[in-house]
Amino acid sequence: MELKHVVGAQRISPAVLKRLFHTADEMRALVLREGGSDTLKRRVMATLFYEPSTRTRLSFEAAMRRLGGKVITTEAAAEFSSAVKGERLKDTIQVVGGYADVIVLRHKKQGSAAKAASVSSVPIINAGDGAGQHPTQMMLDLYTIQKEIGRLENLAIAMVGDLRNGRTVRSLCYILTKFQSPRLYLVSPRSLRMRKDIRAYLRRHGVPFEECDDLREVAGRVDVVYLTRVQAERMKGKCVRMNGRFQMDPSVLERLQQHAIIMHPLPRVDEIRQRRLVDIDPRAAYFRQAHNGLYVRMALLKMILAPDAPL
Ligand code: CP
Protein backbone atom coordinates (compact mmCIF):
# COMPACT_ATOMS: atom_id res chain seq x y z
CA MET A 1 0.00 0.00 0.00
CA GLU A 2 1.99 2.99 -1.26
CA LEU A 3 1.63 6.31 0.52
CA LYS A 4 3.64 9.06 -1.10
CA HIS A 5 2.45 12.63 -0.74
CA VAL A 6 -0.08 13.48 1.98
CA VAL A 7 -1.78 16.58 0.62
CA GLY A 8 -5.50 16.24 1.28
CA ALA A 9 -7.95 13.92 2.99
CA GLN A 10 -9.80 13.10 -0.25
CA ARG A 11 -6.97 10.79 -1.35
CA ILE A 12 -6.74 8.86 1.92
CA SER A 13 -8.69 5.63 2.29
CA PRO A 14 -10.16 4.00 5.41
CA ALA A 15 -7.87 1.01 4.68
CA VAL A 16 -4.76 3.23 4.91
CA LEU A 17 -6.11 4.78 8.12
CA LYS A 18 -6.74 1.36 9.62
CA ARG A 19 -3.14 0.36 8.99
CA LEU A 20 -1.90 3.71 10.22
CA PHE A 21 -3.83 3.39 13.49
CA HIS A 22 -2.57 -0.13 14.04
CA THR A 23 1.00 1.12 13.59
CA ALA A 24 0.26 4.11 15.86
CA ASP A 25 -0.78 1.66 18.59
CA GLU A 26 2.53 -0.14 18.09
CA MET A 27 4.37 3.18 18.29
CA ARG A 28 2.64 4.04 21.56
CA ALA A 29 3.73 0.69 23.02
CA LEU A 30 7.25 1.17 21.65
CA VAL A 31 7.62 4.63 23.20
CA LEU A 32 6.31 3.42 26.56
CA ARG A 33 8.53 0.35 26.48
CA GLU A 34 11.85 1.73 25.21
CA GLY A 35 11.42 5.32 24.09
CA GLY A 36 11.84 4.62 20.38
CA SER A 37 13.82 2.65 17.80
CA ASP A 38 16.32 2.94 14.96
CA THR A 39 13.80 2.20 12.22
CA LEU A 40 14.47 5.49 10.39
CA LYS A 41 18.19 5.68 11.11
CA ARG A 42 20.05 7.66 8.43
CA ARG A 43 16.78 9.13 7.14
CA VAL A 44 16.35 12.91 7.15
CA MET A 45 13.10 14.87 7.50
CA ALA A 46 12.91 18.57 6.61
CA THR A 47 10.28 20.69 8.35
CA LEU A 48 9.51 23.86 6.40
CA PHE A 49 7.10 26.00 8.40
CA TYR A 50 6.03 29.33 6.89
CA GLU A 51 3.38 29.72 9.62
CA PRO A 52 3.71 29.28 13.40
CA SER A 53 3.18 25.90 15.01
CA THR A 54 3.71 24.20 18.34
CA ARG A 55 2.08 20.77 18.09
CA THR A 56 2.53 19.84 14.45
CA ARG A 57 6.18 20.80 14.10
CA LEU A 58 7.33 19.52 17.47
CA SER A 59 5.39 16.25 17.25
CA PHE A 60 6.74 15.57 13.76
CA GLU A 61 10.27 16.34 14.92
CA ALA A 62 9.87 14.23 18.05
CA ALA A 63 8.38 11.42 15.92
CA MET A 64 11.37 11.42 13.55
CA ARG A 65 13.88 11.50 16.41
CA ARG A 66 12.14 8.73 18.33
CA LEU A 67 12.49 6.56 15.23
CA GLY A 68 16.22 7.29 15.00
CA GLY A 69 16.00 9.76 12.09
CA LYS A 70 17.46 13.24 11.74
CA VAL A 71 15.66 16.56 11.36
CA ILE A 72 16.57 19.68 9.44
CA THR A 73 14.25 22.57 10.03
CA THR A 74 13.42 26.14 9.22
CA GLU A 75 11.00 27.49 11.75
CA ALA A 76 9.49 30.80 10.63
CA ALA A 77 10.56 30.04 7.05
CA ALA A 78 8.79 33.17 5.81
CA GLU A 79 11.39 35.21 7.72
CA PHE A 80 14.44 32.97 7.96
CA SER A 81 14.58 31.12 4.66
CA SER A 82 15.48 32.44 1.22
CA ALA A 83 11.76 33.17 0.70
CA VAL A 84 12.76 36.58 2.08
CA LYS A 85 15.00 37.06 -0.96
CA GLY A 86 12.13 36.17 -3.26
CA GLU A 87 12.69 32.45 -3.76
CA ARG A 88 9.54 30.67 -4.93
CA LEU A 89 8.16 27.67 -3.08
CA LYS A 90 8.63 25.30 -6.04
CA ASP A 91 12.35 26.10 -6.20
CA THR A 92 12.77 25.69 -2.44
CA ILE A 93 11.07 22.29 -2.57
CA GLN A 94 13.26 21.06 -5.41
CA VAL A 95 16.37 22.09 -3.51
CA VAL A 96 15.32 20.74 -0.09
CA GLY A 97 14.26 17.48 -1.75
CA GLY A 98 17.96 16.96 -2.47
CA TYR A 99 18.78 17.19 1.25
CA ALA A 100 15.93 15.28 2.88
CA ASP A 101 13.90 12.08 2.38
CA VAL A 102 10.59 13.71 3.30
CA ILE A 103 9.38 17.31 3.61
CA VAL A 104 6.76 18.43 6.13
CA LEU A 105 5.36 21.72 4.87
CA ARG A 106 3.17 24.33 6.52
CA HIS A 107 2.32 27.33 4.38
CA LYS A 108 -0.07 30.25 4.60
CA LYS A 109 -1.48 29.74 1.10
CA GLN A 110 -4.19 27.20 0.33
CA GLY A 111 -2.99 24.87 -2.42
CA SER A 112 0.70 25.21 -1.58
CA ALA A 113 1.13 21.57 -0.54
CA ALA A 114 -0.29 20.39 -3.87
CA LYS A 115 2.00 22.83 -5.65
CA ALA A 116 5.01 21.50 -3.70
CA ALA A 117 4.02 17.89 -4.42
CA SER A 118 3.84 18.64 -8.14
CA VAL A 119 7.60 19.27 -8.28
CA SER A 120 8.96 17.28 -5.35
CA SER A 121 11.20 14.25 -5.73
CA VAL A 122 10.47 13.25 -2.11
CA PRO A 123 7.15 12.86 -0.25
CA ILE A 124 5.43 16.08 0.83
CA ILE A 125 3.35 16.02 3.99
CA ASN A 126 0.88 18.88 4.23
CA ALA A 127 1.12 20.27 7.76
CA GLY A 128 -1.52 22.91 7.00
CA ASP A 129 -1.97 25.03 3.88
CA GLY A 130 -3.73 28.26 4.78
CA ALA A 131 -7.46 27.73 5.07
CA GLY A 132 -7.12 24.59 2.96
CA GLN A 133 -6.50 21.34 4.84
CA HIS A 134 -4.56 19.76 7.67
CA PRO A 135 -4.65 16.04 6.83
CA THR A 136 -2.33 14.78 9.58
CA GLN A 137 -4.50 16.56 12.16
CA MET A 138 -7.44 14.67 10.66
CA MET A 139 -5.50 11.42 11.12
CA LEU A 140 -4.85 12.04 14.79
CA ASP A 141 -8.43 13.28 15.25
CA LEU A 142 -9.87 10.06 13.87
CA TYR A 143 -7.37 7.98 15.84
CA THR A 144 -8.53 9.78 18.98
CA ILE A 145 -12.21 9.19 18.16
CA GLN A 146 -11.53 5.51 17.49
CA LYS A 147 -9.72 5.18 20.81
CA GLU A 148 -12.22 7.17 22.88
CA ILE A 149 -15.57 6.27 21.31
CA GLY A 150 -14.59 2.89 19.87
CA ARG A 151 -15.86 3.37 16.32
CA LEU A 152 -15.68 5.60 13.25
CA GLU A 153 -19.09 4.68 11.83
CA ASN A 154 -22.45 6.19 12.76
CA LEU A 155 -20.87 9.20 14.42
CA ALA A 156 -22.73 12.41 15.21
CA ILE A 157 -20.25 15.27 15.33
CA ALA A 158 -20.77 18.95 16.14
CA MET A 159 -18.09 21.10 14.52
CA VAL A 160 -18.10 24.44 16.28
CA GLY A 161 -16.55 27.85 15.72
CA ASP A 162 -14.76 29.32 12.73
CA LEU A 163 -15.72 26.76 10.11
CA ARG A 164 -15.02 29.18 7.29
CA ASN A 165 -11.29 29.52 7.91
CA GLY A 166 -10.50 26.37 9.92
CA ARG A 167 -8.61 23.77 7.92
CA THR A 168 -8.93 20.89 10.39
CA VAL A 169 -12.71 20.75 10.01
CA ARG A 170 -12.38 20.76 6.22
CA SER A 171 -10.11 17.70 6.31
CA LEU A 172 -12.49 16.03 8.75
CA CYS A 173 -15.50 16.63 6.48
CA TYR A 174 -13.67 15.15 3.50
CA ILE A 175 -12.69 11.98 5.36
CA LEU A 176 -16.02 11.45 7.12
CA THR A 177 -17.71 10.97 3.73
CA LYS A 178 -15.79 7.67 3.51
CA PHE A 179 -17.31 6.21 6.68
CA GLN A 180 -20.78 4.81 7.24
CA SER A 181 -23.61 7.15 8.28
CA PRO A 182 -21.94 10.24 9.73
CA ARG A 183 -24.21 13.09 10.87
CA LEU A 184 -22.78 16.58 11.12
CA TYR A 185 -23.91 19.68 12.98
CA LEU A 186 -22.09 22.77 11.72
CA VAL A 187 -22.33 25.29 14.53
CA SER A 188 -20.98 28.75 13.72
CA PRO A 189 -21.82 32.41 13.46
CA ARG A 190 -23.30 33.24 10.08
CA SER A 191 -20.16 35.02 8.89
CA LEU A 192 -18.00 31.97 9.70
CA ARG A 193 -20.10 29.25 8.09
CA MET A 194 -18.48 26.26 6.41
CA ARG A 195 -17.59 27.25 2.86
CA LYS A 196 -19.74 26.27 -0.11
CA ASP A 197 -17.28 23.78 -1.60
CA ILE A 198 -17.38 21.56 1.49
CA ARG A 199 -21.17 21.84 1.86
CA ALA A 200 -21.50 20.78 -1.80
CA TYR A 201 -19.04 17.91 -1.25
CA LEU A 202 -21.03 16.65 1.74
CA ARG A 203 -24.26 16.80 -0.26
CA ARG A 204 -22.67 14.98 -3.22
CA HIS A 205 -21.53 12.22 -0.88
CA GLY A 206 -24.88 11.93 0.87
CA VAL A 207 -23.70 13.12 4.28
CA PRO A 208 -26.55 14.80 6.19
CA PHE A 209 -25.61 18.05 7.90
CA GLU A 210 -27.45 20.76 9.76
CA GLU A 211 -26.21 24.31 10.16
CA CYS A 212 -27.07 26.04 13.41
CA ASP A 213 -25.91 28.80 15.70
CA ASP A 214 -26.15 27.43 19.22
CA LEU A 215 -24.07 24.55 20.53
CA ARG A 216 -26.54 24.01 23.37
CA GLU A 217 -29.23 22.95 20.89
CA VAL A 218 -27.21 19.99 19.64
CA ALA A 219 -24.84 19.16 22.52
CA GLY A 220 -27.04 16.35 23.82
CA ARG A 221 -27.28 14.64 20.44
CA VAL A 222 -23.63 14.16 19.50
CA ASP A 223 -20.75 11.77 20.14
CA VAL A 224 -18.11 14.43 19.53
CA VAL A 225 -18.00 18.19 20.06
CA TYR A 226 -15.12 19.47 17.92
CA LEU A 227 -14.29 23.04 18.93
CA THR A 228 -12.20 25.41 16.83
CA ARG A 229 -10.81 28.86 17.46
CA VAL A 230 -11.38 31.96 15.35
CA GLN A 231 -8.55 32.02 12.81
CA ALA A 232 -7.79 35.70 13.39
CA GLU A 233 -4.66 35.49 11.22
CA ARG A 234 -6.85 34.81 8.15
CA MET A 235 -9.17 37.77 8.71
CA LYS A 236 -8.39 40.98 6.97
CA GLY A 237 -10.95 43.16 8.73
CA LYS A 238 -12.36 43.09 12.21
CA CYS A 239 -11.90 39.82 14.05
CA VAL A 240 -15.10 38.05 15.13
CA ARG A 241 -15.23 37.00 18.79
CA MET A 242 -17.05 33.89 19.90
CA ASN A 243 -19.97 34.33 22.26
CA GLY A 244 -21.58 31.80 24.58
CA ARG A 245 -23.49 30.01 21.84
CA PHE A 246 -20.24 28.69 20.40
CA GLN A 247 -18.37 28.04 23.63
CA MET A 248 -18.02 25.03 25.89
CA ASP A 249 -18.68 25.65 29.57
CA PRO A 250 -20.04 23.63 32.51
CA SER A 251 -23.65 24.32 31.46
CA VAL A 252 -22.98 22.74 28.03
CA LEU A 253 -21.06 19.91 29.69
CA GLU A 254 -24.22 19.04 31.61
CA ARG A 255 -26.05 18.44 28.35
CA LEU A 256 -23.41 16.13 26.84
CA GLN A 257 -23.96 12.39 26.77
CA GLN A 258 -21.76 10.40 29.14
CA HIS A 259 -19.83 8.71 26.31
CA ALA A 260 -19.34 11.94 24.30
CA ILE A 261 -15.96 13.65 24.01
CA ILE A 262 -14.79 17.23 23.58
CA MET A 263 -12.05 17.72 21.02
CA HIS A 264 -10.06 20.74 19.91
CA PRO A 265 -7.05 20.81 17.56
CA LEU A 266 -5.54 23.51 19.81
CA PRO A 267 -4.31 26.15 20.38
CA ARG A 268 -7.46 27.31 22.19
CA VAL A 269 -8.29 30.94 22.78
CA ASP A 270 -11.75 31.55 24.26
CA GLU A 271 -13.69 28.51 23.04
CA ILE A 272 -13.76 27.00 26.52
CA ARG A 273 -15.02 29.04 29.48
CA GLN A 274 -14.22 28.08 33.07
CA ARG A 275 -11.38 25.99 31.72
CA ARG A 276 -10.46 24.57 35.09
CA LEU A 277 -13.87 22.91 35.39
CA VAL A 278 -14.04 21.70 31.80
CA ASP A 279 -10.44 20.43 31.70
CA ILE A 280 -10.97 18.04 34.60
CA ASP A 281 -14.07 16.47 33.05
CA PRO A 282 -13.06 13.02 31.70
CA ARG A 283 -14.84 13.84 28.44
CA ALA A 284 -12.34 16.64 27.72
CA ALA A 285 -10.12 14.76 25.25
CA TYR A 286 -8.11 17.61 23.72
CA PHE A 287 -4.83 17.01 25.53
CA ARG A 288 -5.02 13.27 24.89
CA GLN A 289 -5.78 14.19 21.26
CA ALA A 290 -2.63 16.35 21.00
CA HIS A 291 -0.58 13.60 22.63
CA ASN A 292 -1.85 11.07 20.08
CA GLY A 293 -0.27 13.24 17.39
CA LEU A 294 3.15 11.86 18.29
CA TYR A 295 2.18 8.20 17.73
CA VAL A 296 0.19 8.91 14.59
CA ARG A 297 3.04 10.93 13.07
CA MET A 298 5.58 8.24 14.00
CA ALA A 299 3.35 5.72 12.25
CA LEU A 300 2.95 7.97 9.21
CA LEU A 301 6.70 8.56 8.84
CA LYS A 302 7.34 4.83 9.07
CA MET A 303 4.62 4.04 6.52
CA ILE A 304 6.09 6.55 4.10
CA LEU A 305 9.82 5.99 4.62
CA ALA A 306 10.14 2.35 5.67
CA PRO A 307 6.82 0.57 5.10
CA ASP A 308 8.29 -2.94 5.21
CA ALA A 309 10.82 -2.46 8.01
CA PRO A 310 10.22 -3.98 11.44
CA LEU A 311 9.77 -1.48 14.27
N1 CP B 1 -3.26 21.66 15.85
C1 CP B 1 -2.24 22.34 15.30
O1 CP B 1 -2.04 22.32 14.08
O2 CP B 1 -1.46 23.01 16.19
P1 CP B 1 -0.19 23.87 15.82
O3 CP B 1 -0.63 25.05 15.02
O4 CP B 1 0.42 24.26 17.15
O5 CP B 1 0.74 22.99 15.02
Side-chain angles (χ1 to χ4, degrees), residues 161-166 187-195 211 229-231 235 240-242:
D162 181 358
L163 307 183
R164 179 180 176 74
N165 300 299
V187 189
S188 70
R190 211 175 159 69
S191 61
L192 300 178
R193 282 173 73 191
M194 186 65 84
R195 277 182 277 156
E211 296 188 280
R229 74 182 166 89
V230 171
Q231 306 275 306
M235 291 178 187
V240 180
R241 282 187 71 83
M242 285 300 159

PDB file of all heavy atoms in Angstrom, residues 161-166 187-195 211 229-231 235 240-242:
ATOM      1  N   GLY A 161     -17.476  26.719  15.723  1.00  0.00           N
ATOM      2  CA  GLY A 161     -16.547  27.853  15.720  1.00  0.00           C
ATOM      3  C   GLY A 161     -16.353  28.441  14.339  1.00  0.00           C
ATOM      4  O   GLY A 161     -17.305  28.652  13.593  1.00  0.00           O
ATOM      5  N   ASP A 162     -15.097  28.683  13.998  1.00  0.00           N
ATOM      6  CA  ASP A 162     -14.764  29.316  12.725  1.00  0.00           C
ATOM      7  C   ASP A 162     -14.616  28.233  11.660  1.00  0.00           C
ATOM      8  O   ASP A 162     -13.518  27.762  11.363  1.00  0.00           O
ATOM      9  CB  ASP A 162     -13.455  30.099  12.892  1.00  0.00           C
ATOM     10  CG  ASP A 162     -13.050  30.820  11.611  1.00  0.00           C
ATOM     11  OD1 ASP A 162     -13.759  30.692  10.589  1.00  0.00           O
ATOM     12  OD2 ASP A 162     -12.010  31.509  11.639  1.00  0.00           O
ATOM     13  N   LEU A 163     -15.736  27.840  11.086  1.00  0.00           N
ATOM     14  CA  LEU A 163     -15.723  26.756  10.107  1.00  0.00           C
ATOM     15  C   LEU A 163     -15.333  27.272   8.722  1.00  0.00           C
ATOM     16  O   LEU A 163     -14.971  26.493   7.842  1.00  0.00           O
ATOM     17  CB  LEU A 163     -17.100  26.078  10.050  1.00  0.00           C
ATOM     18  CG  LEU A 163     -17.645  25.606  11.409  1.00  0.00           C
ATOM     19  CD1 LEU A 163     -18.975  24.881  11.234  1.00  0.00           C
ATOM     20  CD2 LEU A 163     -16.639  24.718  12.128  1.00  0.00           C
ATOM     21  N   ARG A 164     -15.382  28.572   8.567  1.00  0.00           N
ATOM     22  CA  ARG A 164     -15.022  29.175   7.287  1.00  0.00           C
ATOM     23  C   ARG A 164     -13.514  29.116   7.030  1.00  0.00           C
ATOM     24  O   ARG A 164     -13.056  28.814   5.942  1.00  0.00           O
ATOM     25  CB  ARG A 164     -15.491  30.635   7.263  1.00  0.00           C
ATOM     26  CG  ARG A 164     -15.157  31.359   5.997  1.00  0.00           C
ATOM     27  CD  ARG A 164     -15.637  32.794   5.988  1.00  0.00           C
ATOM     28  NE  ARG A 164     -15.179  33.432   4.771  1.00  0.00           N
ATOM     29  CZ  ARG A 164     -15.689  33.203   3.576  1.00  0.00           C
ATOM     30  NH1 ARG A 164     -16.696  32.363   3.449  1.00  0.00           N
ATOM     31  NH2 ARG A 164     -15.195  33.794   2.510  1.00  0.00           N
ATOM     32  N   ASN A 165     -12.752  29.406   8.071  1.00  0.00           N
ATOM     33  CA  ASN A 165     -11.294  29.516   7.914  1.00  0.00           C
ATOM     34  C   ASN A 165     -10.519  28.346   8.509  1.00  0.00           C
ATOM     35  O   ASN A 165      -9.311  28.247   8.314  1.00  0.00           O
ATOM     36  CB  ASN A 165     -10.802  30.809   8.569  1.00  0.00           C
ATOM     37  CG  ASN A 165     -11.442  32.027   7.942  1.00  0.00           C
ATOM     38  OD1 ASN A 165     -11.269  32.275   6.752  1.00  0.00           O
ATOM     39  ND2 ASN A 165     -12.213  32.774   8.725  1.00  0.00           N
ATOM     40  N   GLY A 166     -11.205  27.486   9.266  1.00  0.00           N
ATOM     41  CA  GLY A 166     -10.502  26.372   9.917  1.00  0.00           C
ATOM     42  C   GLY A 166     -10.205  25.270   8.915  1.00  0.00           C
ATOM     43  O   GLY A 166     -11.083  24.822   8.182  1.00  0.00           O
ATOM     44  N   VAL A 187     -21.867  24.264  13.588  1.00  0.00           N
ATOM     45  CA  VAL A 187     -22.325  25.294  14.533  1.00  0.00           C
ATOM     46  C   VAL A 187     -21.380  26.497  14.453  1.00  0.00           C
ATOM     47  O   VAL A 187     -20.230  26.429  14.898  1.00  0.00           O
ATOM     48  CB  VAL A 187     -22.315  24.738  15.976  1.00  0.00           C
ATOM     49  CG1 VAL A 187     -22.985  25.720  16.927  1.00  0.00           C
ATOM     50  CG2 VAL A 187     -22.986  23.368  16.050  1.00  0.00           C
ATOM     51  N   SER A 188     -21.862  27.580  13.876  1.00  0.00           N
ATOM     52  CA  SER A 188     -20.976  28.748  13.720  1.00  0.00           C
ATOM     53  C   SER A 188     -21.800  30.017  13.576  1.00  0.00           C
ATOM     54  O   SER A 188     -22.978  29.959  13.213  1.00  0.00           O
ATOM     55  CB  SER A 188     -20.120  28.578  12.454  1.00  0.00           C
ATOM     56  OG  SER A 188     -20.939  28.702  11.308  1.00  0.00           O
ATOM     57  N   PRO A 189     -21.145  31.160  13.821  1.00  0.00           N
ATOM     58  CA  PRO A 189     -21.817  32.415  13.459  1.00  0.00           C
ATOM     59  C   PRO A 189     -22.002  32.445  11.944  1.00  0.00           C
ATOM     60  O   PRO A 189     -21.251  31.800  11.212  1.00  0.00           O
ATOM     61  CB  PRO A 189     -20.812  33.498  13.891  1.00  0.00           C
ATOM     62  CG  PRO A 189     -19.811  32.822  14.753  1.00  0.00           C
ATOM     63  CD  PRO A 189     -19.812  31.369  14.400  1.00  0.00           C
ATOM     64  N   ARG A 190     -22.975  33.203  11.510  1.00  0.00           N
ATOM     65  CA  ARG A 190     -23.299  33.238  10.080  1.00  0.00           C
ATOM     66  C   ARG A 190     -22.094  33.597   9.212  1.00  0.00           C
ATOM     67  O   ARG A 190     -21.872  33.021   8.157  1.00  0.00           O
ATOM     68  CB  ARG A 190     -24.424  34.276   9.870  1.00  0.00           C
ATOM     69  CG  ARG A 190     -25.305  33.917   8.759  1.00  0.00           C
ATOM     70  CD  ARG A 190     -26.502  34.787   8.548  1.00  0.00           C
ATOM     71  NE  ARG A 190     -26.948  34.596   7.173  1.00  0.00           N
ATOM     72  CZ  ARG A 190     -27.484  33.472   6.718  1.00  0.00           C
ATOM     73  NH1 ARG A 190     -27.661  32.443   7.524  1.00  0.00           N
ATOM     74  NH2 ARG A 190     -27.829  33.359   5.448  1.00  0.00           N
ATOM     75  N   SER A 191     -21.298  34.553   9.698  1.00  0.00           N
ATOM     76  CA  SER A 191     -20.165  35.024   8.889  1.00  0.00           C
ATOM     77  C   SER A 191     -19.025  34.000   8.835  1.00  0.00           C
ATOM     78  O   SER A 191     -18.083  34.176   8.061  1.00  0.00           O
ATOM     79  CB  SER A 191     -19.639  36.342   9.459  1.00  0.00           C
ATOM     80  OG  SER A 191     -19.195  36.135  10.786  1.00  0.00           O
ATOM     81  N   LEU A 192     -19.092  32.956   9.670  1.00  0.00           N
ATOM     82  CA  LEU A 192     -18.000  31.973   9.697  1.00  0.00           C
ATOM     83  C   LEU A 192     -18.498  30.569   9.332  1.00  0.00           C
ATOM     84  O   LEU A 192     -17.927  29.563   9.745  1.00  0.00           O
ATOM     85  CB  LEU A 192     -17.339  31.954  11.085  1.00  0.00           C
ATOM     86  CG  LEU A 192     -16.717  33.285  11.537  1.00  0.00           C
ATOM     87  CD1 LEU A 192     -16.131  33.155  12.933  1.00  0.00           C
ATOM     88  CD2 LEU A 192     -15.630  33.740  10.558  1.00  0.00           C
ATOM     89  N   ARG A 193     -19.535  30.540   8.504  1.00  0.00           N
ATOM     90  CA  ARG A 193     -20.104  29.250   8.089  1.00  0.00           C
ATOM     91  C   ARG A 193     -19.110  28.447   7.250  1.00  0.00           C
ATOM     92  O   ARG A 193     -18.245  29.015   6.575  1.00  0.00           O
ATOM     93  CB  ARG A 193     -21.341  29.489   7.213  1.00  0.00           C
ATOM     94  CG  ARG A 193     -22.565  29.849   7.990  1.00  0.00           C
ATOM     95  CD  ARG A 193     -23.673  30.234   7.044  1.00  0.00           C
ATOM     96  NE  ARG A 193     -24.234  29.075   6.350  1.00  0.00           N
ATOM     97  CZ  ARG A 193     -25.075  29.152   5.324  1.00  0.00           C
ATOM     98  NH1 ARG A 193     -25.452  30.331   4.850  1.00  0.00           N
ATOM     99  NH2 ARG A 193     -25.558  28.078   4.766  1.00  0.00           N
ATOM    100  N   MET A 194     -19.288  27.139   7.264  1.00  0.00           N
ATOM    101  CA  MET A 194     -18.484  26.264   6.405  1.00  0.00           C
ATOM    102  C   MET A 194     -18.627  26.738   4.958  1.00  0.00           C
ATOM    103  O   MET A 194     -19.739  27.076   4.522  1.00  0.00           O
ATOM    104  CB  MET A 194     -19.000  24.830   6.543  1.00  0.00           C
ATOM    105  CG  MET A 194     -18.183  23.790   5.821  1.00  0.00           C
ATOM    106  SD  MET A 194     -16.527  23.607   6.474  1.00  0.00           S
ATOM    107  CE  MET A 194     -16.805  22.484   7.839  1.00  0.00           C
ATOM    108  N   ARG A 195     -17.507  26.728   4.221  1.00  0.00           N
ATOM    109  CA  ARG A 195     -17.585  27.253   2.856  1.00  0.00           C
ATOM    110  C   ARG A 195     -18.398  26.327   1.929  1.00  0.00           C
ATOM    111  O   ARG A 195     -18.556  25.152   2.204  1.00  0.00           O
ATOM    112  CB  ARG A 195     -16.163  27.463   2.298  1.00  0.00           C
ATOM    113  CG  ARG A 195     -15.586  28.797   2.769  1.00  0.00           C
ATOM    114  CD  ARG A 195     -14.225  29.035   2.205  1.00  0.00           C
ATOM    115  NE  ARG A 195     -13.209  28.360   2.986  1.00  0.00           N
ATOM    116  CZ  ARG A 195     -12.012  28.010   2.515  1.00  0.00           C
ATOM    117  NH1 ARG A 195     -11.702  28.243   1.258  1.00  0.00           N
ATOM    118  NH2 ARG A 195     -11.136  27.416   3.291  1.00  0.00           N
ATOM    119  N   GLU A 211     -26.950  23.125   9.717  1.00  0.00           N
ATOM    120  CA  GLU A 211     -26.208  24.311  10.157  1.00  0.00           C
ATOM    121  C   GLU A 211     -27.005  24.999  11.255  1.00  0.00           C
ATOM    122  O   GLU A 211     -28.224  25.165  11.132  1.00  0.00           O
ATOM    123  CB  GLU A 211     -25.981  25.251   8.985  1.00  0.00           C
ATOM    124  CG  GLU A 211     -25.095  24.600   7.929  1.00  0.00           C
ATOM    125  CD  GLU A 211     -24.692  25.570   6.849  1.00  0.00           C
ATOM    126  OE1 GLU A 211     -25.539  25.801   5.947  1.00  0.00           O
ATOM    127  OE2 GLU A 211     -23.569  26.107   6.914  1.00  0.00           O
ATOM    128  N   ARG A 229     -10.966  27.445  17.117  1.00  0.00           N
ATOM    129  CA  ARG A 229     -10.811  28.861  17.460  1.00  0.00           C
ATOM    130  C   ARG A 229     -11.095  29.728  16.228  1.00  0.00           C
ATOM    131  O   ARG A 229     -11.065  29.231  15.092  1.00  0.00           O
ATOM    132  CB  ARG A 229      -9.395  29.144  17.981  1.00  0.00           C
ATOM    133  CG  ARG A 229      -8.355  29.132  16.911  1.00  0.00           C
ATOM    134  CD  ARG A 229      -6.938  29.354  17.407  1.00  0.00           C
ATOM    135  NE  ARG A 229      -6.009  28.998  16.351  1.00  0.00           N
ATOM    136  CZ  ARG A 229      -5.563  29.839  15.414  1.00  0.00           C
ATOM    137  NH1 ARG A 229      -5.920  31.104  15.428  1.00  0.00           N
ATOM    138  NH2 ARG A 229      -4.742  29.418  14.476  1.00  0.00           N
ATOM    139  N   VAL A 230     -11.294  31.013  16.469  1.00  0.00           N
ATOM    140  CA  VAL A 230     -11.376  31.962  15.352  1.00  0.00           C
ATOM    141  C   VAL A 230      -9.967  32.121  14.781  1.00  0.00           C
ATOM    142  O   VAL A 230      -9.011  32.371  15.512  1.00  0.00           O
ATOM    143  CB  VAL A 230     -11.898  33.336  15.836  1.00  0.00           C
ATOM    144  CG1 VAL A 230     -11.785  34.374  14.733  1.00  0.00           C
ATOM    145  CG2 VAL A 230     -13.337  33.214  16.299  1.00  0.00           C
ATOM    146  N   GLN A 231      -9.862  31.928  13.471  1.00  0.00           N
ATOM    147  CA  GLN A 231      -8.549  32.024  12.807  1.00  0.00           C
ATOM    148  C   GLN A 231      -8.276  33.504  12.492  1.00  0.00           C
ATOM    149  O   GLN A 231      -8.365  33.923  11.334  1.00  0.00           O
ATOM    150  CB  GLN A 231      -8.566  31.212  11.513  1.00  0.00           C
ATOM    151  CG  GLN A 231      -9.006  29.764  11.688  1.00  0.00           C
ATOM    152  CD  GLN A 231      -7.876  28.858  12.099  1.00  0.00           C
ATOM    153  OE1 GLN A 231      -6.839  28.812  11.455  1.00  0.00           O
ATOM    154  NE2 GLN A 231      -8.068  28.148  13.192  1.00  0.00           N
ATOM    155  N   MET A 235      -8.128  36.757   8.873  1.00  0.00           N
ATOM    156  CA  MET A 235      -9.171  37.771   8.705  1.00  0.00           C
ATOM    157  C   MET A 235      -8.540  39.117   8.431  1.00  0.00           C
ATOM    158  O   MET A 235      -7.706  39.569   9.207  1.00  0.00           O
ATOM    159  CB  MET A 235     -10.022  37.843   9.970  1.00  0.00           C
ATOM    160  CG  MET A 235     -10.848  36.603  10.132  1.00  0.00           C
ATOM    161  SD  MET A 235     -11.799  36.652  11.627  1.00  0.00           S
ATOM    162  CE  MET A 235     -12.466  35.002  11.599  1.00  0.00           C
ATOM    163  N   VAL A 240     -13.859  38.443  14.448  1.00  0.00           N
ATOM    164  CA  VAL A 240     -15.099  38.050  15.132  1.00  0.00           C
ATOM    165  C   VAL A 240     -14.738  37.371  16.443  1.00  0.00           C
ATOM    166  O   VAL A 240     -13.814  36.570  16.498  1.00  0.00           O
ATOM    167  CB  VAL A 240     -15.879  37.039  14.246  1.00  0.00           C
ATOM    168  CG1 VAL A 240     -17.174  36.602  14.928  1.00  0.00           C
ATOM    169  CG2 VAL A 240     -16.151  37.630  12.880  1.00  0.00           C
ATOM    170  N   ARG A 241     -15.462  37.699  17.508  1.00  0.00           N
ATOM    171  CA  ARG A 241     -15.234  37.003  18.786  1.00  0.00           C
ATOM    172  C   ARG A 241     -16.363  36.017  19.020  1.00  0.00           C
ATOM    173  O   ARG A 241     -17.496  36.261  18.652  1.00  0.00           O
ATOM    174  CB  ARG A 241     -15.184  38.015  19.942  1.00  0.00           C
ATOM    175  CG  ARG A 241     -13.858  38.748  20.029  1.00  0.00           C
ATOM    176  CD  ARG A 241     -13.821  39.605  21.277  1.00  0.00           C
ATOM    177  NE  ARG A 241     -13.719  38.801  22.491  1.00  0.00           N
ATOM    178  CZ  ARG A 241     -12.582  38.326  22.961  1.00  0.00           C
ATOM    179  NH1 ARG A 241     -11.457  38.552  22.330  1.00  0.00           N
ATOM    180  NH2 ARG A 241     -12.565  37.607  24.066  1.00  0.00           N
ATOM    181  N   MET A 242     -16.034  34.893  19.630  1.00  0.00           N
ATOM    182  CA  MET A 242     -17.053  33.889  19.899  1.00  0.00           C
ATOM    183  C   MET A 242     -17.884  34.310  21.109  1.00  0.00           C
ATOM    184  O   MET A 242     -17.333  34.795  22.092  1.00  0.00           O
ATOM    185  CB  MET A 242     -16.387  32.552  20.234  1.00  0.00           C
ATOM    186  CG  MET A 242     -15.836  31.865  19.032  1.00  0.00           C
ATOM    187  SD  MET A 242     -17.134  31.514  17.830  1.00  0.00           S
ATOM    188  CE  MET A 242     -16.140  31.329  16.373  1.00  0.00           C
TER     189      MET A 242
END
